[in-house]
């Protein structure tokens, strides 16, 4: 029996454990296993191997409800169904509300994907680098906590992940949005080009409008073929999973790569309950897992642990990792873990029409749009609110369906070929200020079905957010007007709560000072150095870029540091 | 029982045309047992008179009647379902008063006439019309023949002559 236990413990011991197989966990798994570390990936959700995409080849007419969500699904999932990507073709990749309850002290739409690959199957693939101004922002504007790293620290790691993931974009040469290692860019539409030109003219280059940068293989390189991926076929059905591996997902890219090294073991249905801390060794020695199906408890051991459960889950796991040394959660000596949750403000939009280029249209499909990098307060403070916003911009033209008439007349009308005006629109992505009052914490009594405390979420917008949203509406209205657009409508989005941006960040943030932050410049917990946090939880601030590219770069950087420290015997 | 057989045979009839989407082929009598609409055939008449068969397939050939019934049942609130039920009853009553036969037995011109002149249920009639259009314009026939639909075009041009 004793021998059996030793054997069994040996089998459950690895060099490194990665919690979560989403965008960030996939990168940790790839880097660690590629560098020769025996790596165990623990994923709470079901197994989804690349290609396990049941709806991906379905034609529009093959869906029972032509894509519409049923009433039963909507009633049972008031939160998940708010996500624009939740449809008849993709609902199987979203967490259902009832299975995973949480407590909203204030309204928070928590959108989750629990499976191999996490939300990397579902994301919209927008990928922009941060600039030095973004990293310097918190110090310049007097935030509570400042970044311990700057652009130069992360730039080589941006390159590292861009080359492997495959990011398409144009070298625009902008200081506020550094260029990356780009594959061929998508093309702007006539009206997008017109807008770019008009803005250049009216604002003397201060408000560039560029083609979006996104994780699509427009021009695959040998490194992508080696992953088994091929050129994007421009279907724009990505939320179903892509059979060609045309966009970056953990499933198509990092996970199979890690598997190919022979050093990665993946265990699905493995809900990590907490991290085990050894008081004598003064470090973490493993994790406690609840099997999602049998509910049995199993322990796994390793010298390095990467926590990549996505922001809120990472906070839950660490807060739930209590020991006599750390009664309030692992390494949480300052009591600030779970605080400083931040997000992107998406709460407003604008739309309009353009009556020019009426002899032109677009042809084919583009899984991308144009993009307006942040132009407010970039180098110095200019407005009555802090920070700024980025915006999407797209202009397209579709055929109008003439629905007039009845019977044969209607039928003939439906076969008319007619185009309307160009339609233009922008969404708003505002930086929010991390605040101690925006937090997640564990409920003291309520648990989920795996015995893990339910999380209480208390996150709200503030006056700065409202002022910034107003500025977006005013500035974009001005820009649209200057470009000659008409029928301009700027409005707030009712019922849009924090969380629905799906860019939730913070709670376990990086900083220079252990008194005010949880992680050092290498994403190590200040008081438990062999635990690394590299998903959204680590973010000191959020700036205005889509966040995942930065999670990838931080993860690759931290994983390579971890391997060096491991080899030196420091972990 | 009777209703079930009618739809079953309808299904087979339409299958012959080869336009029916695969989900509709999967319909079996078990699924139909759950339907709340007493008079399913009326949907056939509605979609058929709105977008009739000509030298090219109409709404019925593409299974729009099955879609309309299914989507109302699965995706809309009880209130909307009741409004639809009421409207169908009223159409039927009007049909009997005017033509001495149930709505589904009317010829297409008579049926369309009742639909477009129905003022008390205008909103619901418009709703049924929109669902029918949606089904028709999402069908394989319409998308491939009229829209040149390609699932994976593999290109995008931002500015081409019409
Ligand atoms: C519709 C949509 C559009 C988006 N668009 C963009 C975009 O354009 N650009 C962008 O940058 N980002 C976008 N995002 C956000 C992006 O998906 C996330 O930032 C990214 O997936 C986060 O990576 P992650 O590794 O932190 O978490 P995830 O990808 O969510 O992965 C976390 C994994 O951890 C697992 N896990 C959680 N808890 C545990 C536990 N206790 N034990 C074991 N495993 C656990 C989960 O099952 C999951 O698989 C979008 C998201 C959605 C849904
Ligand atoms: S747009 Fe490209 S990446 Fe997305 S599903 Fe289609 S082929 Fe795949």
């Amino acid at each position: 029996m004793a021998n059996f236990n030793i054997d069994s413990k040996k089998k459950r011991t690895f060099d490194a454990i990665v919690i979560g197989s989403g965008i960030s966990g996939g990168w940790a798994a790839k880097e660690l296993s590629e560098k020769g570390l025996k790596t165990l990936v623990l994923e709470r959700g079901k197994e989804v191997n690349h290609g396990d995409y049941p709806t991906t080849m379905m034609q529009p007419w093959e869906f029972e409800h032509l894509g519409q969500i049923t009433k039963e699904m909507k009633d049972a999932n008031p939160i998940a169904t708010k996500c624009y990507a939740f449809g008849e073709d993709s609902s199987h990749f979203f967490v259902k509300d009832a299975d995973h309850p949480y407590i909203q002290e204030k309204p928070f739409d928590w959108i989750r994907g629990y499976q191999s690959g996490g939300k990397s199957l579902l994301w919209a693939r927008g990928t922009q680098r941060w600039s030095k101004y973004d990293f310097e922002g918190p110090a310049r504007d007097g935030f509570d906590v400042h970044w311990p790293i700057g652009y130069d620290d992360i730039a080589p790691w941006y390159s590292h992940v861009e080359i492997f993931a495959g990011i398409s974009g144009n070298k625009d040469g902008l200081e506020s949005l550094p260029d990356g290692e780009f594959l061929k860019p998508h093309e702007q539409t006539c009206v997008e080009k017109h807008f770019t030109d008009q803005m250049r003219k009216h604002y003397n280059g201060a408000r560039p409008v560029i083609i979006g940068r996104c994780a699509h293989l427009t021009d695959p390189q040998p490194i992508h073929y080696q992953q088994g991926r091929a050129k994007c076929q421009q279907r724009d059905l990505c939320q179903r999973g892509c059979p060609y591996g045309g966009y970056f997902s953990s499933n198509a890219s990092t996970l199979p790569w890690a598997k190919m090294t022979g050093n990665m073991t993946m265990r699905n249905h493995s809900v990590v309950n907490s991290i085990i801390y050894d008081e004598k060794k003064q470090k973490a020695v493993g994790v406690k897992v609840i099997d999602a199906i049998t509910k049995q408890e199993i322990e796994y051991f390793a010298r390095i642990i990467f926590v990549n459960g996505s922001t809120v889950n990472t906070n839950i796991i660490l807060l739930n990792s209590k020991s006599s040394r750390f009664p309030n959660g692992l390494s949480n000596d300052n009591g600030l873990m779970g605080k400083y949750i931040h997000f992107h403000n998406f709460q407003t939009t604008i739309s309009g029409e353009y009556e020019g280029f009426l002899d032109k249209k677009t042809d084919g499909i583009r899984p991308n749009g144009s993009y307006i990098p942040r132009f407010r307060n970039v180098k110095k403070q200019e407005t009555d609110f802090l920070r700024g916003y980025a915006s999407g911009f797209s202009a397209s033209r579709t055929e109008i369906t003439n629905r007039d008439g009845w019977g044969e007349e209607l039928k003939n009308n439906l076969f008319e070929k007619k185009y309307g005006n160009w339609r233009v629109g922008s969404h708003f992505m505002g930086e929010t200020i991390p605040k101690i009052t925006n937090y997640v914490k564990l409920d003291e009594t309520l648990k989920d079905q795996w015995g893990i405390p339910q999380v209480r979420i208390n996150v709200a917008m503030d006056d700065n957010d409202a002022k910034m949203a107003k500025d977006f509406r005013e500035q974009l209205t001005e820009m649209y007007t200057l470009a000659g657009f008409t029928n301009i409508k700027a409005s707030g989005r009712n019922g849009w709560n924090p969380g629905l941006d799906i860019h939730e960040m913070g709670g376990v943030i990086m900083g220079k000072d252990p008194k005010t932050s949880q992680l050092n410049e290498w994403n190590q917990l200040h008081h438990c150095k062999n635990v690394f946090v590299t998903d959204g939880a680590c973010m000191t601030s959020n700036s205005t870029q889509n966040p995942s590219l930065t999670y990838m770069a931080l993860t690759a950087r931290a994983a390579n540091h971890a391997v060096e420290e491991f080899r030196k015997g420091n972990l | 029982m009777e209703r079930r057989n009618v739809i079953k045979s309808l299904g087979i009839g339409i299958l012959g045309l080869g336009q029916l989407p695969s989900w509709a082929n999967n319909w079996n009598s078990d699924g139909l047992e759950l339907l709340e609409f007493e008079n399913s055939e009326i949907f056939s008449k509605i979609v058929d008179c709105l977008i009739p068969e000509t030298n090219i397939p109409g709404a019925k050939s593409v299974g729009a009647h099955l879609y309309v019934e299914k989507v109302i049942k699965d995706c809309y609130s009880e209130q909307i379902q009741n409004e639809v039920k009421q409207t169908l009853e009223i159409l039927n009553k009007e049909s009997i008063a005017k033509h001495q036969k149930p709505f589904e037995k009317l010829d297409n011109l008579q049926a369309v006439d009742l639909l477009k002149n129905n003022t008390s249920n205008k909103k619901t009639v418009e709703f049924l019309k929109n669902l029918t259009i949606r089904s028709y314009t999402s069908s394989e026939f319409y998308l491939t023949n009229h829209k040149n639909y390609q699932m994976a075009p593999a290109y995008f041009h931002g500015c081409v002559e019409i």
Side-chain angles (χ1 to χ4, degrees), chain A residues 18-26 42-45 83-86 94-95 111-128 239 250 270-273 308-311 313-314 316-317 452 501-504 534-537 545-552:
Chain A
V18 177
I19 305 170
S21 65
I23 290 190
S24 62
L42 294 167
E43 167 52 57
R44 70 178 300 157
C83 176
Y84 73 90
F86 188 110
F94 284 86
V95 156
I111 307 297
R112 293 155 283 174
Y114 292 169
Q115 58 249 328
S116 313
K119 296 192 294 284
S120 75
L121 287 172
L122 295 165
W123 70 317
R125 309 157 312 278
T127 36
Q128 313 90 21
Q239 71 283 355
S250 305
S270 302
V271 186
V272 173
N273 168 295
N308 298 94
S310 89
T311 301
N313 277 308
T314 287
I316 297 174
I317 293 167
I452 297 170
D501 42 296
I502 327 179
H503 293 173
E504 66 277 11
T534 64
D535 61 12
Q545 287 82 340
N546 294 73
S548 307
L549 183 72
T550 301
Y551 305 167
M552 297 190 215

XYZ file of all heavy atoms in Angstrom, chain A residues 18-26 42-45 83-86 94-95 111-128 239 250 270-273 308-311 313-314 316-317 452 501-504 534-537 545-552, ligand 1:
558
model
N -0.146 23.715 -15.321
C -0.821 24.893 -15.867
C -2.308 24.727 -15.601
O -2.891 23.704 -15.964
C -0.570 25.032 -17.387
C -1.344 26.234 -17.945
C 0.920 25.160 -17.695
N -2.912 25.715 -14.958
C -4.345 25.644 -14.655
C -5.102 26.422 -15.716
O -5.006 27.647 -15.793
C -4.640 26.228 -13.255
C -3.787 25.526 -12.195
C -6.136 26.117 -12.947
C -3.836 26.201 -10.829
N -5.852 25.712 -16.558
C -6.615 26.362 -17.620
C -5.906 26.232 -18.966
O -4.681 26.334 -19.048
N -6.680 25.952 -20.020
C -6.078 25.720 -21.342
C -6.548 26.742 -22.362
O -6.558 26.499 -23.555
C -6.439 24.311 -21.821
O -7.842 24.225 -22.021
N -6.993 27.915 -21.877
C -7.469 28.961 -22.798
C -6.306 29.668 -23.469
O -5.212 29.105 -23.623
N -6.541 30.919 -23.828
C -5.512 31.651 -24.583
C -4.206 31.706 -23.800
O -3.134 31.398 -24.333
C -6.010 33.075 -24.937
C -7.116 32.970 -25.990
C -4.839 33.949 -25.429
C -7.543 34.262 -26.611
N -4.259 32.069 -22.524
C -3.006 32.229 -21.785
C -2.446 30.868 -21.360
O -1.242 30.618 -21.508
C -3.200 33.161 -20.589
O -4.131 32.625 -19.680
N -3.297 29.966 -20.870
C -2.824 28.646 -20.439
C -2.198 27.863 -21.580
O -1.191 27.161 -21.412
N -2.764 27.990 -22.777
C -2.207 27.315 -23.955
C -0.774 27.772 -24.202
O 0.101 26.962 -24.533
N -4.311 21.289 -16.518
C -5.574 20.916 -15.878
C -6.670 21.825 -16.405
O -6.600 23.052 -16.273
C -5.448 21.052 -14.357
C -4.468 20.068 -13.717
C -4.164 20.458 -12.278
C -5.026 18.637 -13.787
N -7.659 21.222 -17.008
C -8.733 21.992 -17.647
C -10.065 21.490 -17.093
O -10.352 20.309 -17.158
C -8.657 21.809 -19.169
C -9.876 22.287 -19.944
C -10.287 23.724 -19.625
O -9.472 24.634 -19.788
O -11.460 23.916 -19.196
N -10.845 22.414 -16.572
C -12.096 22.004 -15.923
C -13.159 21.528 -16.929
O -14.058 20.755 -16.580
C -12.660 23.127 -15.062
C -13.199 24.316 -15.843
C -13.797 25.357 -14.897
N -14.895 24.793 -14.136
C -15.333 25.255 -12.966
N -14.769 26.308 -12.412
N -16.343 24.703 -12.354
N -13.070 22.000 -18.152
C -14.132 21.709 -19.119
C -13.884 20.457 -19.931
O -12.891 19.755 -19.754
N -24.264 37.689 -24.859
C -23.044 37.803 -25.668
C -23.417 37.697 -27.138
O -24.118 36.775 -27.546
C -22.046 36.708 -25.294
S -20.590 36.736 -26.344
N -22.919 38.633 -27.939
C -23.315 38.671 -29.350
C -22.951 37.388 -30.100
O -23.556 37.037 -31.095
C -22.665 39.880 -30.052
C -21.186 39.679 -30.282
C -20.733 39.096 -31.453
C -20.248 40.004 -29.303
C -19.382 38.855 -31.653
C -18.901 39.765 -29.490
C -18.477 39.189 -30.665
O -17.145 38.934 -30.855
N -21.930 36.690 -29.604
C -21.458 35.503 -30.332
C -22.226 34.242 -29.936
O -21.990 33.174 -30.497
C -19.964 35.293 -30.080
N -23.120 34.358 -28.966
C -23.893 33.194 -28.523
C -25.016 32.975 -29.534
O -25.920 33.788 -29.663
C -24.473 33.470 -27.131
C -25.144 32.285 -26.472
C -24.561 31.675 -25.376
C -26.367 31.790 -26.927
C -25.164 30.594 -24.744
C -26.973 30.706 -26.311
C -26.375 30.114 -25.214
N -20.304 27.860 -24.781
C -20.480 28.820 -23.688
C -20.921 28.105 -22.411
O -21.689 27.139 -22.459
C -21.561 29.841 -24.048
C -21.128 30.892 -25.030
C -21.202 30.663 -26.401
C -20.656 32.115 -24.587
C -20.815 31.636 -27.308
C -20.263 33.087 -25.487
C -20.345 32.856 -26.851
N -20.473 28.639 -21.272
C -20.947 28.153 -19.972
C -22.411 28.559 -19.796
O -22.785 29.683 -20.118
C -20.083 28.785 -18.849
C -20.832 28.826 -17.530
C -18.777 28.014 -18.718
N -19.131 36.194 -18.850
C -19.242 35.293 -20.003
C -18.054 34.326 -19.961
O -16.904 34.759 -19.905
C -19.204 36.095 -21.330
C -20.247 37.213 -21.322
C -19.387 35.175 -22.531
C -21.673 36.773 -21.242
N -18.337 33.036 -20.023
C -17.262 32.043 -19.842
C -17.337 30.931 -20.888
O -18.416 30.616 -21.381
C -17.402 31.407 -18.446
C -17.137 32.371 -17.320
C -17.840 31.958 -16.024
N -19.251 32.263 -16.053
C -20.113 31.910 -15.098
N -19.691 31.231 -14.049
N -21.391 32.225 -15.194
N -16.188 30.339 -21.163
C -16.150 29.152 -22.020
C -15.280 28.121 -21.323
O -14.088 28.347 -21.156
N -15.874 27.040 -20.869
C -15.118 25.994 -20.162
C -14.989 24.770 -21.058
O -15.937 23.998 -21.222
C -15.842 25.579 -18.862
C -15.887 26.628 -17.774
C -16.694 26.453 -16.658
C -15.120 27.794 -17.844
C -16.748 27.395 -15.643
C -15.169 28.743 -16.842
C -15.984 28.547 -15.743
O -16.039 29.476 -14.743
N -13.814 24.620 -21.655
C -13.494 23.457 -22.482
C -12.029 23.587 -22.846
O -11.443 24.643 -22.588
C -14.321 23.454 -23.775
C -14.135 24.704 -24.644
C -15.371 25.575 -24.678
O -16.464 25.051 -24.596
N -15.220 26.880 -24.787
N -11.456 22.569 -23.445
C -10.105 22.741 -23.983
C -10.139 23.976 -24.861
O -11.016 24.114 -25.714
C -9.706 21.558 -24.864
O -10.004 20.342 -24.245
N -9.198 24.880 -24.627
C -9.163 26.100 -25.448
C -9.892 27.274 -24.835
O -9.735 28.400 -25.289
N -10.734 27.022 -23.836
C -11.448 28.116 -23.162
C -12.167 29.015 -24.146
O -12.829 28.538 -25.066
N -12.011 30.320 -23.964
C -12.691 31.271 -24.835
C -11.916 31.530 -26.127
O -12.341 32.330 -26.957
C -12.890 32.608 -24.096
C -13.801 32.491 -22.869
C -14.223 33.857 -22.338
C -13.113 34.692 -21.769
N -12.635 34.300 -20.429
N -10.760 30.837 -26.294
C -9.994 31.095 -27.529
C -10.760 30.622 -28.755
O -10.482 31.042 -29.871
C -8.618 30.423 -27.473
O -8.710 29.027 -27.666
N -11.750 29.745 -28.559
C -12.579 29.328 -29.693
C -13.550 30.432 -30.090
O -13.985 30.500 -31.233
C -13.367 28.054 -29.334
C -12.558 26.765 -29.258
C -13.418 25.632 -28.698
C -12.026 26.388 -30.630
N -13.900 31.263 -29.120
C -15.010 32.201 -29.316
C -14.603 33.635 -29.597
O -15.419 34.448 -30.006
C -15.884 32.218 -28.045
C -16.598 30.919 -27.705
C -17.109 30.963 -26.272
C -17.750 30.688 -28.673
N -13.352 33.932 -29.363
C -12.974 35.358 -29.341
C -13.056 35.999 -30.715
O -13.134 35.318 -31.748
C -11.598 35.527 -28.711
C -10.424 35.021 -29.502
C -10.345 33.848 -30.194
C -9.163 35.678 -29.675
N -9.096 33.730 -30.760
C -8.347 34.836 -30.464
C -8.626 36.878 -29.223
C -7.041 35.181 -30.824
C -7.328 37.213 -29.577
C -6.556 36.367 -30.371
N -13.017 37.353 -30.726
C -13.168 38.093 -31.983
C -11.818 38.385 -32.641
O -11.761 39.037 -33.674
C -13.929 39.390 -31.757
N -10.716 37.961 -32.012
C -9.402 37.892 -32.632
C -8.708 39.234 -32.880
O -7.727 39.308 -33.586
C -9.467 37.055 -33.916
C -10.144 35.720 -33.666
C -10.732 35.063 -34.883
N -11.545 35.891 -35.721
C -12.827 36.179 -35.521
N -13.490 35.660 -34.499
N -13.482 36.972 -36.344
N -9.251 40.307 -32.302
C -8.599 41.615 -32.402
C -7.333 41.614 -31.555
O -7.369 41.230 -30.387
N -6.195 41.996 -32.153
C -4.913 41.865 -31.462
C -4.049 43.092 -31.740
O -3.501 43.220 -32.839
C -4.164 40.612 -31.982
O -4.421 40.475 -33.385
C -4.613 39.355 -31.287
N -3.924 43.971 -30.748
C -3.055 45.138 -30.921
C -2.043 45.184 -29.781
O -2.363 44.874 -28.646
C -3.871 46.450 -30.900
C -5.123 46.452 -31.760
C -6.337 45.977 -30.979
O -6.360 46.014 -29.767
N -7.359 45.511 -31.691
N -16.658 31.645 -34.531
C -17.158 31.214 -33.209
C -17.570 29.730 -33.203
O -17.788 29.156 -32.150
C -18.327 32.088 -32.744
C -19.640 31.913 -33.486
C -19.661 32.598 -34.845
O -18.717 33.301 -35.210
N -20.725 32.390 -35.610
N -6.205 28.140 -28.964
C -5.322 27.181 -28.294
C -5.479 25.823 -28.967
O -4.507 25.095 -29.155
C -5.688 27.051 -26.818
O -5.681 28.293 -26.190
N -11.119 18.615 -14.898
C -10.327 18.754 -13.679
C -10.477 20.161 -13.118
O -9.835 21.099 -13.581
C -8.852 18.494 -13.980
O -8.698 17.209 -14.538
N -11.353 20.297 -12.132
C -11.617 21.606 -11.549
C -10.598 21.851 -10.436
O -10.592 21.142 -9.427
C -13.040 21.665 -10.940
C -13.354 23.084 -10.472
C -14.078 21.159 -11.921
N -9.735 22.836 -10.633
C -8.766 23.127 -9.574
C -9.468 23.868 -8.447
O -10.105 24.901 -8.654
C -7.569 23.934 -10.117
C -6.660 24.384 -8.968
C -6.786 23.092 -11.103
N -9.359 23.295 -7.257
C -9.990 23.859 -6.075
C -9.062 24.876 -5.419
O -9.473 25.962 -5.034
C -10.310 22.683 -5.134
C -10.707 23.106 -3.747
O -9.909 23.683 -3.009
N -11.946 22.820 -3.375
N -3.968 30.117 -14.938
C -4.513 30.719 -16.152
C -5.996 30.380 -16.332
O -6.440 29.999 -17.406
C -3.721 30.233 -17.381
C -2.269 30.654 -17.324
O -1.391 29.913 -16.864
N -1.999 31.865 -17.751
N -6.750 30.517 -15.258
C -8.164 30.132 -15.296
C -9.064 31.190 -15.896
O -10.272 31.010 -15.939
N -8.495 32.289 -16.364
C -9.140 33.547 -16.764
C -9.477 34.325 -15.501
O -9.750 33.750 -14.455
C -10.344 33.382 -17.695
O -11.525 33.225 -16.986
N -9.450 35.653 -15.639
C -9.374 36.574 -14.501
C -10.133 36.154 -13.237
O -9.544 35.981 -12.175
C -9.861 37.972 -14.955
O -9.012 38.389 -16.021
C -9.827 38.977 -13.819
N -11.796 33.403 -12.361
C -11.483 32.075 -11.823
C -10.107 32.025 -11.174
O -9.911 31.332 -10.173
C -11.571 31.023 -12.931
C -13.000 30.576 -13.138
O -13.674 30.199 -12.183
N -13.475 30.646 -14.359
N -9.166 32.743 -11.730
C -7.833 32.794 -11.130
C -7.909 33.427 -9.739
O -7.299 32.941 -8.781
C -6.887 33.561 -12.071
O -6.619 32.702 -13.185
C -5.577 33.943 -11.408
N -10.533 33.365 -7.817
C -11.217 32.400 -6.941
C -10.218 31.353 -6.438
O -10.154 31.055 -5.243
C -12.383 31.701 -7.686
C -13.455 32.710 -8.086
C -12.997 30.588 -6.814
C -14.568 32.135 -8.950
N -9.445 30.792 -7.363
C -8.509 29.717 -6.978
C -7.524 30.228 -5.928
O -7.285 29.571 -4.908
C -7.746 29.198 -8.225
C -8.712 28.500 -9.183
C -6.617 28.249 -7.808
C -8.122 28.227 -10.565
N -16.634 24.448 -4.245
C -15.795 25.653 -4.261
C -16.682 26.865 -3.964
O -17.788 26.972 -4.516
C -15.102 25.791 -5.636
C -14.177 24.580 -5.833
C -14.325 27.097 -5.739
C -13.612 24.435 -7.213
N -17.992 43.083 -21.879
C -16.824 43.368 -22.722
C -15.949 42.114 -22.841
O -15.162 41.981 -23.776
C -16.002 44.517 -22.131
C -15.856 44.423 -20.612
O -16.867 44.512 -19.904
O -14.719 44.216 -20.131
N -16.076 41.213 -21.879
C -15.288 39.975 -21.798
C -13.794 40.296 -21.734
O -12.955 39.523 -22.157
C -15.651 38.971 -22.915
C -17.142 39.099 -23.251
C -15.348 37.530 -22.501
C -17.645 38.207 -24.348
N -13.511 41.497 -21.219
C -12.127 41.921 -21.021
C -11.897 42.165 -19.527
O -11.165 43.075 -19.160
C -11.832 43.201 -21.802
C -11.861 43.006 -23.298
N -11.755 44.044 -24.191
C -11.970 41.883 -24.040
C -11.801 43.574 -25.435
N -11.940 42.257 -25.369
N -12.537 41.385 -18.662
C -12.359 41.598 -17.221
C -10.911 41.304 -16.846
O -10.310 40.358 -17.368
C -13.345 40.726 -16.421
C -13.160 39.226 -16.507
C -13.795 38.578 -17.751
O -14.215 39.313 -18.659
O -13.863 37.338 -17.796
N -0.581 34.772 -15.196
C -0.324 35.502 -16.447
C -1.572 35.686 -17.292
O -1.491 35.960 -18.485
C 0.755 34.790 -17.295
O 0.252 33.501 -17.676
C 2.055 34.612 -16.546
N -2.757 35.487 -16.698
C -3.966 35.810 -17.471
C -4.387 37.236 -17.103
O -3.612 37.987 -16.499
C -5.067 34.768 -17.218
C -5.489 34.697 -15.759
O -5.098 35.595 -14.970
O -6.195 33.735 -15.405
N -5.621 37.600 -17.431
C -6.081 38.972 -17.205
C -5.955 39.421 -15.762
O -5.868 40.628 -15.492
N -5.939 38.481 -14.815
C -5.863 38.852 -13.401
C -4.611 39.664 -13.093
O -4.589 40.468 -12.166
C -5.901 37.595 -12.535
N -6.460 48.587 -25.756
C -6.312 47.509 -26.736
C -7.102 46.275 -26.288
O -7.292 46.070 -25.090
C -4.835 47.110 -26.877
C -3.980 48.115 -27.612
C -3.502 49.264 -26.727
O -4.072 49.532 -25.681
N -2.467 49.946 -27.161
N -7.493 45.439 -27.261
C -8.029 44.131 -26.887
C -6.914 43.411 -26.116
O -5.759 43.457 -26.528
C -8.407 43.320 -28.123
C -9.556 43.951 -28.887
O -9.367 44.970 -29.538
N -10.709 43.380 -28.798
N -7.236 42.746 -25.020
C -6.161 42.372 -24.086
C -5.387 41.095 -24.399
O -4.274 40.925 -23.920
C -6.929 42.181 -22.775
C -8.293 41.731 -23.191
C -8.568 42.449 -24.486
N -5.950 40.165 -25.175
C -5.402 38.802 -25.172
C -3.973 38.708 -25.712
O -3.191 37.882 -25.245
C -6.320 37.854 -25.952
O -7.635 37.970 -25.455
N -3.624 39.535 -26.692
C -2.253 39.482 -27.218
C -1.259 39.791 -26.093
O -0.186 39.177 -26.018
C -2.078 40.481 -28.375
C -0.699 40.456 -29.042
C -0.528 39.192 -29.885
C -0.484 41.694 -29.917
N -1.628 40.711 -25.232
C -0.746 41.060 -24.114
C -0.690 39.915 -23.089
O 0.381 39.628 -22.543
C -1.198 42.397 -23.491
O -1.148 43.399 -24.514
C -0.316 42.812 -22.325
N -1.818 39.218 -22.865
C -1.763 38.031 -21.985
C -0.792 36.993 -22.573
O -0.024 36.361 -21.860
C -3.107 37.328 -21.831
C -4.300 38.140 -21.361
C -5.596 37.609 -21.477
C -4.162 39.401 -20.790
C -6.706 38.314 -21.050
C -5.279 40.115 -20.371
C -6.550 39.568 -20.513
O -7.658 40.259 -20.113
N -0.870 36.816 -23.894
C 0.000 35.810 -24.539
C 1.464 36.184 -24.333
O 2.288 35.347 -23.972
C -0.257 35.745 -26.056
C -1.636 35.304 -26.468
S -1.646 35.020 -28.279
C -3.278 35.546 -28.701
C -17.206 36.703 -28.034
C -15.852 37.092 -27.526
C -15.074 38.005 -28.230
C -13.804 38.354 -27.775
N -13.030 39.159 -28.545
C -11.748 39.391 -28.196
C -10.875 40.105 -29.069
O -11.235 40.502 -30.185
N -9.603 40.320 -28.670
C -9.149 39.918 -27.455
O -8.000 40.169 -27.143
N -9.959 39.227 -26.610
C -11.235 38.952 -26.959
N -12.049 38.228 -26.119
C -11.537 37.851 -24.802
C -10.669 36.619 -24.851
O -11.418 35.513 -25.231
C -10.064 36.414 -23.478
O -9.316 37.548 -23.133
C -9.124 35.218 -23.422
O -9.743 34.042 -23.853
C -8.605 35.066 -22.012
O -7.692 34.023 -21.955
P -7.546 33.207 -20.630
O -6.516 32.176 -20.862
O -7.347 34.142 -19.514
O -8.983 32.579 -20.363
P -9.861 31.555 -21.211
O -9.521 31.592 -22.629
O -11.258 31.817 -20.814
O -9.407 30.149 -20.613
C -9.518 29.830 -19.255
C -9.607 28.333 -19.119
O -9.446 27.973 -17.759
C -10.376 26.974 -17.408
N -10.612 27.057 -15.962
C -11.245 28.035 -15.294
N -11.278 27.762 -13.972
C -10.643 26.583 -13.797
C -10.377 25.778 -12.654
N -10.760 26.138 -11.436
N -9.719 24.612 -12.853
C -9.328 24.215 -14.102
N -9.568 24.955 -15.210
C -10.216 26.125 -15.061
C -11.583 27.297 -18.244
O -12.405 26.170 -18.419
C -10.960 27.778 -19.545
O -10.773 26.736 -20.455
C -13.324 37.839 -26.554
C -14.093 36.916 -25.850
C -15.341 36.528 -26.327
C -16.129 35.492 -25.584
